[in-house]
Each structure stands twice: as C-alpha cells, then as structure tokens.
C-alpha cells in the first residue's frame, strides 16, 4: 500500500476536475477548493432554478468567472446534465481541450417538496433525473474514459465523488420522497461503481451533506444556526473541502465509502448490516416466520405449542430472553 505523506500540503496541480452543478452553493464551494489547491476546474451547470425550472446559459460562465478571479483556473460549461447527448458532447470537448478528466464531483441537484399523494410524475422525474440520472450519465462517460486509459495512467488515481444526503440513508420528513429515493439510489450507485472501477485505479465515494446554508435550505425554510464569530457550521465550504480532498487522488485506498459532513463534523457511515438472525430447526412455515420476526424485535420471544408446553423452533441461533 502506498505510504501517505500526511504532513505535506494537499496539491491538486495538474489534475483536471469536473464539478457538475458547479454554479450552485455546494458546487461552487467544491470548485473553489479544488482550484485553490491547483486543479484546473470545469464547472458544468444546467442553469436552472432550485426547483429545476429555467435554462440560463450564462449561469455556469458567470459563476466560473467569479471563482477564477479569486481562486485560479475555473471555466464554465453550460450543459443539460440529464441529457445523454449533451453530456457525451461535453466530455468529448473536455478531452479534446484538456487531454483528460482526472476527477468528477457530481453535485447537481434540484428539490421539489410535496407529499407523495401530491407529487406528480413530472416532479418525480425532475428531482430523480437531477440527482441520480445526471450522476449516472457523467459517471458513465468518465468511467469509459478511465477504463480505456487505465494502463497509461498506472499509479495516478482517478476519482468519482457523488453527493448524497441523510434523506437517502435514514429518511427525513422535510425534503420529499423523490429526494429520498434519488439520494438512496446514489448510495447504491456509488458502492457498485467502487467495485466496477477498482481494477482500473478509480476511487468512488459519496459525501452525505446536511444543513448546508444556501438556496435549497432557504427554499425549504430550514432553520439553521447563525454563524458564530468566524465559524459557520452550515457553510458549504465544509462540503467543498471534503469533496475536493476525495477528488484529489491523495488517498486512492479510500473507495466505496459514504462520508458525512454536517455542522463542521466529518463522519463515516457504515451501511446496512445484519444484526440478528434466526435459523429454524426445520423448514419455514408461515407461523415460524411470524414468530421469528417477533423474536427479532423481542416482542414474542418464545413459541407456545398447542398443548401448552414451551419450545423454541429456532434453536440456539439467537439467545432466548429470560
């Protein structure tokens, strides 16, 4: 395993980093951090509102100009990231101009908050496409390039970073079922791509952000704590720094992970894990399934036979409560 030089400053010089949704609050913060540390950054953006309405071609270019003036090499690219043809054309243009794309951070998103009985098919498609479909399209284009050039770039890590949220992991009542479904899909996509791209030296990780100050929080009316002195726990810069680090290639052994950033805290998720299990002495019946589920939840720990004698159809596989 490559020895990490943790004492040296992070340096992204020479890396080409694509940030989708780069004109947004989080995307801009990611682009700023990557450019500040030497990367050539391309921000791609649909130019839509927070609800996915509109198509402003100047939004990406304008945001790139502001970021470049302060942080370094940032260029803007207007692209409908949910359109396969536009995404493919964008990648062809980037490869022609820059020769490669070393990292992709998929940060584009929209939000439409409605209860499921009021959520239209158009709402569902808009939110799901903005999060999950766009990530699939840019990941497909990037991974195709990385797979075909893996041998030539042996020893130089490529990185894909997706943006998920607690809504897709543990659920929340305030962002809607489409948002939760899309964010959950991104976690599954991240874990699968980590397996698929491991042989080609590509690290794939997800950042689960929450309570970020910006237009999404304002749109849903989130009550966020005010900044204290010079520290803002809800600043998008926290997400920006973590995502930029994962895109840096500094730690290629980190892959298939979901990292949480909220309130200035960084954490690591461990996914769904089996906690308890039951194996019956014989074949399953509907009655043992029912009783087994009750056992798993400590609701009905023992099976009462019809004759009144107690017996345990599951044996020693799960300790029986006293």
């Amino acid at each position: 395993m490559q020895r990490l030089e943790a004492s040296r400053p992070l340096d992204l010089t020479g890396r080409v980093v694509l940030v989708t949704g780069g004109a947004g609050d989080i995307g801009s913060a990611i682009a700023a951090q990557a450019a500040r540390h030497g990367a050539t950054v391309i921000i791609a953006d649909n130019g839509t509102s927070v609800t996915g309405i509109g198509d402003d071609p100047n939004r990406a270019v304008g945001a790139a100009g502001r970021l470049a003036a302060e942080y370094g090499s940032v260029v803007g690219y207007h692209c409908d990231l949910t359109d396969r043809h536009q995404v493919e054309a964008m990648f062809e243009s980037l490869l022609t101009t820059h020769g490669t794309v070393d990292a992709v951070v998929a940060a584009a998103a929209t939000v439409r908050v409605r209860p499921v009985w009021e959520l239209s098919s158009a709402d569902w498609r808009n939110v799901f496409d903005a999060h999950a479909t766009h990530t699939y399209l840019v990941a497909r284009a990037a991974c195709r390039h990385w797979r075909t050039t893996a041998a030539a770039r042996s020893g130089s890590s490529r990185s894909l970073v997706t943006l998920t949220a607690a809504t897709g992991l543990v659920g929340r009542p305030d962002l809607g079922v489409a948002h939760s479904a899309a964010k959950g899909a991104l976690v599954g996509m991240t874990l699968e791509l980590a397996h698929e791209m491991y042989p080609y030296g590509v690290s794939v990780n997800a950042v689960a952000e929450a309570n970020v100050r910006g237009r999404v929080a304002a749109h849903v009316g989130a009550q966020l704590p005010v900044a204290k002195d010079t520290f803002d726990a809800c600043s998008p810069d926290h997400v920006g720094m973590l995502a930029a680090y994962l895109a840096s290639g500094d730690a290629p052994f980190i892959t298939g992970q979901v990292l949480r950033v909220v309130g200035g805290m960084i954490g690591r998720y461990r996914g769904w894990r089996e906690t308890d299990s039951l194996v019956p002495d014989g074949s399953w019946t509907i009655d043992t399934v029912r009783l087994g589920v009750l056992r798993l939840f400590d609701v009905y720990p023992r099976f009462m036979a019809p004759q009144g004698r107690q017996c345990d159809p599951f044996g020693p596989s799960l300790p029986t409560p006293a």
Side-chain angles (χ1 to χ4, degrees):
M1 181 180 293
Q2 179 183 355
R3 183 179 178 86
L4 294 178
E5 298 179 36
S7 61
R8 61 176 171 79
L10 188 66
D11 187 5
L12 277 72
T13 301
R15 286 181 74 79
V16 178
V17 178
L18 170 66
V19 181
T20 62
D25 303 292
I26 291 176
S28 292
I30 297 167
Q33 291 295 330
R36 172 184 287 163
H37 290 88
T40 296
V41 179
I42 301 95
I43 63 171
D45 200 278
N46 290 24
T48 68
S49 70
V50 69
T51 58
I53 297 173
D55 181 24
D56 182 1
N58 297 316
R59 191 162 184 261
V61 176
R66 292 189 296 272
L67 291 167
E70 186 171 358
Y71 298 107
S73 179
V74 184
V75 296
Y77 199 109
H78 176 68
C79 176
D80 181 352
L81 297 161
T82 67
D83 183 287
R84 175 175 63 89
H85 300 291
Q86 291 195 37
V87 171
E88 294 288 345
M90 175 182 68
F91 262 87
E92 289 300 320
S93 175
L94 296 181
L95 294 177
T96 299
T97 303
H98 302 283
T100 189
V101 174
D102 298 290
V104 173
V105 184
T110 63
V111 61
R112 294 186 181 183
V113 183
R114 293 181 176 89
V116 67
W117 53 88
E118 295 179 5
L119 189 75
S120 69
S121 297
D123 293 331
W124 170 273
R125 286 192 297 270
N126 178 278
V127 175
F128 201 88
D129 285 352
H131 293 262
T133 302
H134 118 262
T135 301
Y136 150 70
L137 290 174
V138 297
R140 185 176 70 165
C143 290
R144 182 188 299 119
H145 167 63
W146 291 334
R147 176 179 177 272
T148 58
T149 59
R153 289 291 295 266
S154 178
S156 179
S157 176
R158 272 76 175 275
S159 308
L160 172 64
V161 183
T162 67
L163 268 289
T164 184
T167 51
L169 297 165
V170 296
R172 281 180 57 163
D174 58 345
L175 289 175
V177 66
H179 189 275
S180 296
K183 289 301 192 184
L186 285 171
V187 173
M189 192 187 311
T190 299
L191 301 182
E192 174 61 26
L193 286 174
H195 287 292
E196 287 190 11
M197 299 309 296
Y198 179 80
Y200 307 106
V202 179
S203 62
V204 187
N205 296 288
V207 173
E209 46 81 15
N211 298 342
V212 176
R213 199 179 310 283
R215 62 177 188 161
V216 172
H219 177 74
V220 301
Q223 300 298 311
L224 302 180
V226 298
K228 294 183 178 179
D229 299 324
T230 60
F231 177 73
D232 182 2
C234 300
S235 169
D237 289 341
H238 304 304
V239 183
M241 284 184 272
L242 177 57
Y245 168 69
L246 293 172
S248 71
D250 184 73
F253 64 91
I254 301 175
T255 192
Q257 302 298 312
V258 180
L259 301 177
R260 187 186 189 204
V261 56
V262 57
M265 176 199 75
I266 294 176
R268 178 186 177 193
Y269 275 103
R270 293 185 183 273
W272 288 101
R273 293 179 295 166
E274 184 182 4
T275 55
D276 303 312
S277 60
L278 293 166
V279 179
D281 292 336
S283 299
W284 283 103
T285 67
I286 191 66
D287 289 327
T288 54
V289 167
R290 169 178 172 262
L291 293 166
V293 172
L294 293 176
R295 278 282 304 274
L296 289 174
F297 287 91
D298 291 328
V299 175
Y300 191 6
R302 290 187 182 277
F303 174 75
M304 184 67 72
Q307 294 81 4
R309 55 187 178 81
Q310 288 186 333
C311 64
D312 184 356
F314 303 107
S317 57
L318 185 71
T320 301

